[in-house]
Amino acid sequence: MKDTKTTFQERYLEAGPRLTPSEKKIGEYLLRNPDEVLGASAVKIAEATGTSDASVIRTIKGLGYQGLPDLKKEFLESVLRRRNSAAALDHNIESIQTNKRPAEQMLANSVDIIDAFREGFDHEAFARCVAAVSNARRTYTYGLGAGSMVSGFLALHLKRVGFDAEAMMLAGYRLADDLLPLTANDCIVLIAPFHQTTEVEVIVDHAKDVGASVVLVTEALGMSLQNRVDIIIKTPPSISNVVSEHLAPFVFSYVLTMQLASLQKDASLKRNNLFNDLSSRFTGSPDFPSPVFLSDIDDDDSDN
């Protein structure tokens, strides 16, 4: 019987050296697509991996599960935990408390997430995303909660390399103001790892109404929104690791920005040089406060 304290990822990684090529293919699919697995049969998983349903069941049992329903139960628990921030925090704290070197664990988990993102990266979807943003009149970005930091990061860096971009930072009915300017020539990059909130629903529906393209960067909403968005960038499962679900979206945002900048190198450098020039007017240099500025602060402090 499966040890409930051992996750699928841990079991798969431990078994790696003794798995056959087909078992590794099945294991990788299960690891990267827990949400899809919840609604899939062994036959569907076999079709997705180019194997047989017998191989799927054999692989799952070989990893210590009683069968596909047993594995789905674990995946369902992890999905529910991801969508409950308190439960996710409790899971992470417990994992840290039982580790003698928690920082090393968290750094290793971060590397694992990036490796999984690289290995499962959908280059065709990425190329379509690059084209959508490149051809857009304006790119709007949106993320709720901590996702707003990723959204702001992406919009900021798109501006700095010469693309018209704006981060929508409001929520609830106030989001309506941000959506008013949206046109058929625009693109929305939606950062939504887990939660299919009202804001996500309204953005997707309104974009469809006006004809704007939508890029969804998500860990768990691919299946539920696949017929309502234009492009899906799937990020790897983060719940079995002590790592933020926003790590992969941050990396994706930087990769997207650099790819877009490479398409118009001269224009991007010109815009960035303009940014540096404007920054220096405030600070005396593009990166650091000038000595005069620092001395002004010291003088002000001495007067108090």
Side-chain angles (χ1 to χ4, degrees):
M1 186 173 179
K2 177 179 69 70
D3 179 358
T4 57
K5 293 186 179 299
T6 304
T7 66
F8 175 80
Q9 181 183 40
E10 291 168 336
R11 286 182 165 268
Y12 172 68
L13 293 176
E14 187 276 331
R18 59 180 172 80
L19 296 177
T20 66
S22 62
E23 288 172 337
K24 287 182 179 179
K25 193 172 184 179
I26 293 167
E28 284 293 324
Y29 178 82
L30 297 173
L31 182 63
R32 294 174 183 167
N33 301 279
D35 298 275
E36 284 83 350
V37 171
L38 285 176
S41 64
V43 173
K44 284 288 186 182
I45 296 172
E47 290 175 354
T49 56
T51 60
S52 67
D53 55 337
S55 295
V56 171
I57 298 301
R58 184 169 58 251
T59 300
I60 292 172
K61 288 186 174 181
L63 293 173
Y65 296 87
Q66 295 178 350
L68 182 55
D70 190 27
L71 176 62
K72 285 185 177 182
K73 181 179 178 181
E74 179 182 311
F75 282 177
L76 178 60
E77 290 172 353
S78 72
V79 168
L80 294 175
R81 190 164 61 242
R82 279 184 303 188
R83 297 179 180 181
N84 182 323
S85 59
L89 179 61
D90 180 63
H91 167 78
N92 289 345
I93 291 175
E94 183 177 342
S95 179
I96 290 171
Q97 288 177 332
T98 57
N99 194 302
K100 294 181 179 180
R101 305 181 73 176
E104 181 176 325
Q105 176 195 358
M106 287 183 279
L107 290 171
N109 287 164
S110 298
V111 172
D112 290 342
I113 286 290
I114 300 305
D115 280 345
F117 194 27
R118 175 180 58 82
E119 292 170 4
F121 197 69
D122 188 336
H123 292 277
E124 189 274 334
F126 179 67
R128 291 169 55 214
C129 175
V130 170
V133 175
S134 178
N135 295 326
R137 176 190 71 96
R138 174 178 296 164
T139 295
Y140 292 90
T141 64
Y142 188 77
L144 196 61
S148 64
M149 294 187 292
V150 183
S151 167
F153 174 89
L154 176 56
L156 176 69
H157 285 80
L158 286 176
K159 289 178 184 177
R160 290 185 180 180
V161 296
F163 291 87
D164 192 349
E166 181 177 339
M168 300 186 293
M169 305 298 289
L170 302 176
Y173 74 91
R174 296 182 64 196
L175 179 59
D177 289 311
D178 282 342
L179 291 173
L180 285 175
L182 191 67
T183 73
N185 297 318
D186 296 327
C187 175
I188 295 180
V189 179
L190 185 57
I191 312 296
F194 305 132
H195 302 290
Q196 194 164 329
T197 62
T198 300
E199 287 81 4
V200 170
E201 292 282 347
V202 172
I203 288 172
V204 170
D205 287 344
H206 183 60
K208 183 177 181 180
D209 289 342
V210 303
S213 58
V214 178
V215 177
L216 174 65
V217 183
T218 188
E219 182 174 324
L221 301 183
M223 285 190 69
S224 60
L225 293 175
Q226 62 183 345
N227 296 322
R228 299 168 59 192
V229 301
D230 300 280
I231 303 162
I232 296 176
I233 301 297
K234 184 170 175 55
T235 58
S238 61
I239 189 60
S240 58
N241 295 286
V242 185
V243 64
S244 170
E245 67 269 22
H246 299 295
L247 175 60
F250 258 121
V251 172
F252 166 76
S253 296
Y254 185 74
V255 171
L256 175 61
T257 300
M258 294 306 298
Q259 180 65 33
L260 287 163
S262 73
L263 299 179
Q264 50 171 43
K265 179 180 177 181
D266 291 341
S268 293
L269 290 174
K270 182 178 180 180
R271 175 63 70 91
N272 221 249
N273 284 329
L274 175 59
F275 166 75
N276 288 338
D277 177 62
L278 291 171
S279 296
S280 67
R281 299 183 193 184
F282 293 102
T283 65
S285 75
D287 301 307
F288 302 103
S290 68
V292 174
F293 180 69
L294 291 175
S295 66
D296 288 343
I297 293 177
D298 292 337
D299 289 341
D300 290 340
D301 289 342
S302 63
D303 291 337
N304 292 332

